[in-house]
Amino acid sequence: MRLNILIGGKAGQGINKVSAIIAQTLLSQGYFIFNYRDYPSIIRGGHNFNVLSISDKQISSHESKIDIIIALDENTKQVHKNNINKNTIIIDYKPFLNLGLNANIALAGALAKVLGIEKQILLTQINSNLKGKPYLKSSLEAATAGYNSQKQTNQLKKLNNKPTLLSGSKAISLGAINSNIDLYIAYPMTPATNALHELAKKQLEHNFMAFQAESEISVVNMALGSSFAGAKTMIGTSGGGFDLMTEGLSMQGISEIPLVVYLASRVGPGTGIPTYNMQGDLDIALRAGHGEFPRIVIAPGDPTETIEITNQAFYLSEKHKALTIILSDKHIAESEFSSTIKPQKPIKVKVNREVPGEKNTIIKATSYEHNQYGITTEDPTIAITNANKRLEKYKKIQQACTQFPMIKTHGKKNSKNLIIAWGSPKGAIVDAIKDLDYKFLQVIYMKPLSNQIKKEMQKANKIILIESNLTGQLGRIIREKTGISIKNRILKYDGRPFRSDELKKQLERELRK
Amino acid sequence: MNPPSLPGDPLRTTKKITWCPSCPDNMILESSQKAIESLIKQGHKRESFAMTCGVGCHGKIFDYLNISGLYGLHGRAIPLAIGIKLGNPNLNVIAFAGDGDTYSEGMAHFIHACRFNPDITLIVFDNQSFSLTTGQATPTSQLGFKTKSEPLGEFNQPLNPIHLALSANATFVARCNARDLDHTQQTIEAAIKHKGFSFVEVIQDCMVFNLETNGKDDRMYKIPKPQKLSRALKLARQFDYNQSETKIPLGIFYQTHRNTLYEEWPQLQNLKKKRISWKQLKR
Ligand SMILES: Cc1ncc(C[n+]2csc(CCOP(=O)(O)OP(=O)(O)O)c2C)c(N)n1
């Protein structure tokens, strides 16, 4: 069973509120949901919509086919008319106009009836959401009015699953807290901003600090300072801010101060399409910063992996005095995924290095080439020794990363048709290939790259690369590493994530080729 | 690893000094070291000090002064210093920077440091020139200054850092003459003791570049004590960094108390109260 519910309206009308109430109600009934959020860079007005996909089985994507539309304005029906067919149920805002701010609660009520959720279950959910609010009573009345206005067309009975709901931004925060983060420093930039909000909200409870600096240049330099002083530090941004941080990454390379960077991509170049999705920043994550120095780049495919990878990033950075970049994007950061899979138990992150302030310790770290005391040198022998050490360090890092899942495989284990992808397309791919003859190789560690990739490729007859970008950036690094160039590519770069039903059709076509 | 010190001089590394022989940078090193020595005599530990440096001739102080620190990129001494303070509020953090460093590449950091009021000290070596890159004009160079990169002469009025810091709500603003070692030492000491962002601009000659602005000593005089803001602003305008006959006031122009960064954050207050770093914090 699978339904896609589109909730659309103007920014500020409470679209997220409707989807949150329904999502929580459905979760409490044991259903899996996936909530895609599509919004332009407009604070009030415009057209925003969510697609809430629901199923009795694990899903991690939404579809293009829409079963139910909740229209908070006229425009919503217009914009999505191509996805509407004669069976689509449209729940209109007009009958609830007189309810003011409660209109969206009434629409949630109407949707609950259509889905066949018992009224009492919905009211209990609203009760717990709005407990103590002065408008609780009128909201309950609005929900009831909405409920009574519709005909029931589905029968969602209670299931035994117990999924929990998580966005990638919350997952970053959880992963950081699991790692005992001391300091998060950032400058607001979509889609990394929600991680800042989330961590700022939790800082007092977990006794760490979230600090907003005056620019990303300042962010990265402050982070080098605080990490030098012994604080487990993470910074976060999107592509544009990451560009500004570049000098600090290079300084990390020579000063060897542990640093974790959360890079949540959006559509570039330039300011691009700020609130939409693109996997366009793999190249800069891998190479930004002048000079030659080691780094680790890890790309989660969903929030659960984000929790685990954030912890791995802290661990690896601290253990190897390394730069680790967590490469995510808007689709993971801002979509909500339900899952019954628990993240792995976090590894303890310990600061074992000398830091300033410790008894009888003088410690110098520097952006210059330096001798063992941290004092500047231009000596060619030391220059060679230190450069070689950086190379050695990368070998150690390569070895250390093999303790974590650097790749994962999904789908039919023995299939000769291999899909290779990384990051956010994971959800749509996994859902699309459920009934198809495909094996899906998910690359998680982008640097170092797993040796397994070549072996998997050699076993396959047909290889398809899937990425949300223009040029197939993973394809390039795989060719660099393995010498194999992937000819079949499904690349999407309209800023919108893959929808699993459309992707399934494309993949079926590929099988017939 | 602890760098070795000169015999009998724990605050000095064995690194050979490579500043030009008569460069006042040598004197600023001397005054800074004396200030730290004096604070150590008053009970501070040597390991409680941490410095940051920008890139320029001034930055070489990093290699000579034997205290902990972070030698940053050009223009970033301030955010590094704020970062160290966030990372351990119990450290005495001193940022050494140049005029090019602070007022050109790192200008935004300077203004925001005045605003954030972190408990750090900024010491700017102001030689009114980019010296390590062989003498181009900086924001404090005088009108008309002809350089290899500006052969037609500097067209822009120099920036007045004292006035700017006062306008941006800095809580400690001072100016010294590098050649006046005692006064510079005392001012740096007072700056480090100040709770909040303390800014000490040290005027120095460059012996190789921008010679025409050198030799201002006999125009300098000392303000006996910190002034009210309105008066401090007036005094700041007395010298506009151009060639002229005007007097140049030295000393602490202004000092006030405003909650510092760590006083605003309960998490940092906690570390400060327990005298621990994040590394020692048990959760
Ligand atoms: C990002 C960057 N841009 C430019 C430089 C080149 N550079 C090195 S020192 C310097 C000027 C330093 O001038 P100032 O801060 O006044 O210090 P001084 O040498 O006069 O002490 C410049 C521009 C650099 N190191 N980094």
Side-chain angles (χ1 to χ4, degrees):
Chain A
M1 163 261 157
R2 184 153 189 188
L3 289 172
N4 295 289
I5 303 160
L6 187 146
I7 305 157
K10 295 179 185 54
Q13 272 189 323
I15 288 156
N16 288 326
K17 196 164 180 183
V18 181
S19 69
I21 290 172
I22 292 300
Q24 283 158 2
T25 309
L26 288 166
L27 285 170
S28 75
Q29 296 304 99
Y31 285 84
F32 291 92
I33 73 147
F34 174 83
N35 186 23
Y36 166 63
R37 298 180 56 213
D38 188 302
Y39 64 98
S41 192
I42 296 174
I43 301 297
R44 290 284 179 266
H47 176 64
N48 284 17
F49 67 94
N50 285 10
V51 178
L52 191 65
S53 200
I54 62 182
S55 173
D56 51 354
K57 296 191 194 64
Q58 173 71 50
I59 48 166
S60 306
S61 63
H62 62 299
E63 296 178 318
S64 60
K65 160 186 86 82
I66 300 299
D67 302 290
I68 303 170
I69 288 193
I70 299 186
L72 279 87
D73 62 1
E74 276 309 303
N75 189 31
T76 298
K77 289 179 273 180
Q78 273 304 313
V79 174
H80 299 280
K81 60 175 187 286
N82 291 341
N83 300 84
I84 299 177
N85 60 36
K86 62 181 188 327
N87 296 324
T88 307
I89 296 167
I90 298 175
I91 304 176
D92 205 336
Y93 70 105
K94 282 201 206 95
F96 308 112
L97 268 179
N98 61 337
L99 292 176
L101 287 175
N102 271 326
N104 46 32
I105 306 266
L107 289 167
L111 175 59
K113 175 69 172 287
V114 170
L115 295 175
I117 298 168
E118 272 176 46
K119 183 157 68 184
Q120 202 44 49
I121 293 168
L122 174 79
L123 296 182
T124 309
Q125 187 63 49
I126 294 174
N127 226 325
S128 81
N129 278 27
L130 303 178
K131 193 173 269 163
K133 294 264 163 38
Y135 47 84
L136 172 63
K137 188 160 166 283
S138 62
S139 294
L140 290 171
E141 282 164 13
T144 307
Y147 197 90
N148 294 339
S149 72
Q150 296 294 321
K151 278 210 309 274
Q152 180 182 339
T153 54
N154 292 275
Q155 179 67 51
L156 299 193
K157 47 183 198 312
K158 191 165 170 41
L159 305 173
N160 286 330
N161 312 312
K162 292 203 162 36
T164 50
L165 194 64
L166 199 60
S167 70
S169 305
K170 286 203 167 121
I172 286 286
S173 150
L174 286 173
I177 291 167
N178 283 347
S179 312
N180 272 323
I181 185 174
D182 295 317
L183 207 56
Y184 183 71
I185 312 178
Y187 183 86
M189 186 168 189
T190 304
T193 312
N194 283 340
L196 170 61
H197 291 172
E198 201 52 38
L199 284 156
K201 195 165 73 188
K202 299 213 168 136
Q203 59 182 326
L204 291 180
E205 181 192 343
H206 294 277
N207 197 8
F208 66 90
M209 219 179 134
F211 188 77
Q212 182 181 314
E214 76 272 19
S215 70
E216 289 86 351
I217 295 179
S218 191
V219 166
V220 72
N221 283 285
M222 282 187 189
L224 290 166
S226 66
S227 178
F228 170 66
K232 293 183 286 304
T233 305
M234 176 164 77
I235 58 180
T237 185
S238 189
F242 186 82
D243 289 346
L244 291 177
M245 291 177 177
T246 301
E247 62 166 45
L249 309 186
S250 179
M251 165 141 171
Q252 192 290 326
I254 196 152
S255 64
E256 303 195 68
I257 298 167
L259 183 64
V260 179
V261 184
Y262 167 50
L263 166 54
S265 292
R266 65 192 213 187
V267 185
T271 307
I273 317 179
T275 56
Y276 286 87
N277 192 58
M278 190 74 80
Q279 293 184 289
D281 300 335
L282 176 58
D283 281 344
I284 56 163
L286 292 171
R287 311 201 202 268
H290 60 285
E292 298 168 294
F293 58 97
R295 77 180 70 198
I296 302 161
V297 181
I298 325 176
D302 59 39
T304 309
E305 285 174 359
T306 304
I307 296 179
E308 296 169 346
I309 281 165
T310 305
N311 177 240
Q312 292 163 21
F314 272 98
Y315 171 79
L316 289 166
S317 272
E318 201 51 58
K319 175 116 185 168
H320 297 276
K321 300 184 182 168
L323 166 66
T324 309
I325 297 165
I326 302 163
L327 179 55
S328 184
D329 62 18
K330 187 264 169 188
H331 190 53
I332 298 176
E334 302 202 344
S335 304
E336 293 176 297
F337 298 65
S338 71
S339 172
T340 50
I341 300 166
K342 296 263 168 307
Q344 300 229 305
K345 218 172 135 250
I347 321 159
K348 200 157 174 55
V349 181
K350 276 198 123 131
V351 178
N352 280 327
R353 51 200 163 93
E354 282 189 321
V355 300
E358 289 175 328
K359 202 165 188 277
N360 298 328
T361 298
I362 301 298
I363 175 153
K364 287 174 181 282
T366 161
S367 71
Y368 278 90
E369 193 53 278
H370 50 275
N371 65 16
Q372 73 268 42
Y373 305 114
I375 289 178
T376 312
T377 180
E378 290 160 346
D379 183 305
T381 319
I382 300 182
I384 291 176
T385 310
N386 288 0
N388 287 340
K389 270 193 197 152
R390 290 190 275 275
L391 207 57
E392 278 306 310
K393 174 166 153 174
Y394 185 59
K395 289 199 184 119
K396 284 203 189 105
I397 286 173
Q398 278 177 310
Q399 187 53 39
C401 291
T402 58
Q403 69 186 294
F404 300 115
M406 296 173 74
I407 55 159
K408 281 185 188 170
T409 55
H410 310 268
K412 296 216 168 27
K413 297 278 174 229
N414 297 321
S415 176
K416 294 281 174 198
N417 304 310
L418 185 69
I419 293 167
I420 303 186
W422 63 284
S424 66
K426 174 191 175 181
I429 297 170
V430 168
D431 289 350
I433 62 171
K434 266 176 190 153
D435 308 315
L436 303 182
D437 179 20
Y438 274 109
K439 179 177 190 173
F440 164 32
L441 171 68
Q442 179 199 358
V443 182
I444 298 175
Y445 274 67
M446 314 307 293
K447 194 178 188 79
L449 213 53
S450 165
N451 293 328
Q452 289 303 111
I453 295 172
K454 187 167 188 177
K455 290 183 189 145
E456 290 288 347
M457 291 172 84
Q458 282 164 339
K459 283 192 267 179
N461 293 339
K462 184 193 278 281
I463 303 176
I464 300 170
L465 178 75
I466 301 184
E467 296 190 57
S468 293
N469 59 36
L470 174 66
T471 57
Q473 299 187 14
L474 171 64
R476 273 205 299 282
I477 62 166
I478 286 180
R479 191 178 62 205
E480 182 184 310
K481 167 103 179 168
T482 66
I484 307 172
S485 148
I486 306 174
K487 298 275 164 357
N488 296 317
R489 307 189 304 173
I490 300 178
L491 303 175
K492 194 170 193 307
Y493 42 89
D494 58 357
R496 276 66 179 171
F498 287 101
R499 295 186 283 200
S500 50
D501 54 345
E502 290 170 335
L503 185 60
K504 184 174 181 179
K505 285 199 190 103
Q506 275 175 290
L507 288 169
E508 281 168 340
R509 268 200 301 278
E510 290 290 339
L511 282 181
R512 287 194 295 269
K513 267 191 198 163
Chain B
M1 207 187 301
N2 288 16
S5 295
L6 282 182
D9 195 355
L11 280 180
R12 190 67 68 84
T13 67
T14 52
K15 171 82 174 175
K16 188 171 166 280
I17 290 183
T18 58
W19 282 318
C20 305
S22 54
C23 176
D25 282 355
N26 294 283
M27 300 165 198
I28 305 176
L29 166 63
E30 200 66 33
S31 316
S32 305
Q33 180 176 339
K34 288 248 169 64
I36 294 170
E37 270 163 7
S38 165
L39 288 163
I40 290 174
K41 279 204 195 97
Q42 294 164 49
H44 291 266
K45 293 242 159 36
R46 177 161 78 118
E47 58 261 28
S48 77
F49 291 90
M51 67 174 151
T52 66
C53 298
V55 171
C57 295
H58 65 274
K60 295 179 179 219
I61 194 171
F62 182 86
D63 289 334
Y64 310 142
L65 209 47
N66 205 348
I67 58 173
S68 290
L70 196 43
Y71 199 164
L73 300 168
H74 180 48
R76 311 300 174 214
I78 294 172
L80 290 176
I82 297 177
I84 293 180
K85 195 72 186 177
L86 292 174
N88 185 350
N90 297 297
L91 295 172
N92 293 306
V93 187
I94 309 164
F96 294 104
D99 49 316
D101 221 40
T102 310
Y103 312 135
S104 205
E105 191 78 275
M107 182 49 125
H109 309 310
F110 177 58
I111 295 171
H112 289 285
C114 296
R115 217 165 59 84
F116 294 155
N117 200 30
D119 189 14
I120 63 167
T121 297
L122 169 68
I123 299 171
V124 176
F125 296 42
D126 192 350
N127 55 9
Q128 298 179 256
S129 115
F130 286 117
S131 291
L132 195 60
T133 46
T134 68
Q136 301 78 8
T138 71
T140 50
S141 297
Q142 70 283 8
L143 264 177
F145 176 33
K146 285 202 168 95
T147 75
K148 284 175 280 185
S149 67
E150 284 136 312
L152 304 182
E154 173 63 57
F155 304 126
N156 301 301
Q157 275 293 343
L159 178 120
N160 186 331
I162 301 287
H163 198 270
L164 180 64
L166 290 167
S167 315
N169 290 326
T171 55
F172 182 110
V173 180
R175 185 194 280 140
C176 301
N177 171 9
R179 279 206 192 86
D180 189 340
L181 288 144
D182 287 343
H183 182 249
T184 305
Q185 176 201 329
Q186 287 155 15
T187 309
I188 291 176
E189 202 177 315
I192 296 173
K193 284 181 173 165
H194 173 75
K195 227 174 166 190
F197 179 60
S198 47
F199 165 49
V200 183
E201 143 114 345
V202 187
I203 295 189
Q204 64 164 129
D205 291 346
C206 174
M207 311 317 285
V208 180
F209 306 106
N210 202 359
L211 299 174
E212 69 188 47
T213 191
N214 286 353
K216 298 184 277 289
D217 298 35
D218 49 7
R219 290 159 51 202
M220 297 178 181
Y221 74 99
K222 284 180 194 132
I223 318 167
K225 60 176 192 328
Q227 304 291 312
K228 284 212 303 255
L229 185 60
S230 54
R231 174 87 187 130
L233 282 161
K234 238 188 226 132
L235 287 170
R237 275 196 292 264
Q238 238 176 25
F239 172 50
D240 70 358
Y241 292 76
N242 274 321
Q243 280 304 94
S244 65
E245 298 305 309
T246 56
K247 292 272 183 215
I248 304 174
L250 303 179
I252 305 171
F253 284 67
Y254 181 68
Q255 181 171 17
T256 187
H257 178 76
R258 195 170 76 238
N259 266 1
T260 79
L261 201 57
Y262 75 76
E263 287 169 300
E264 301 285 5
W265 293 81
Q267 303 94 309
L268 295 179
Q269 273 171 16
N270 175 48
L271 299 179
K272 187 93 177 159
K273 201 171 72 208
K274 293 183 179 148
R275 297 178 156 277
I276 56 169
S277 63
W278 288 109
K279 186 180 164 183
Q280 294 159 299
L281 178 75
K282 299 238 166 12
R283 283 200 179 80

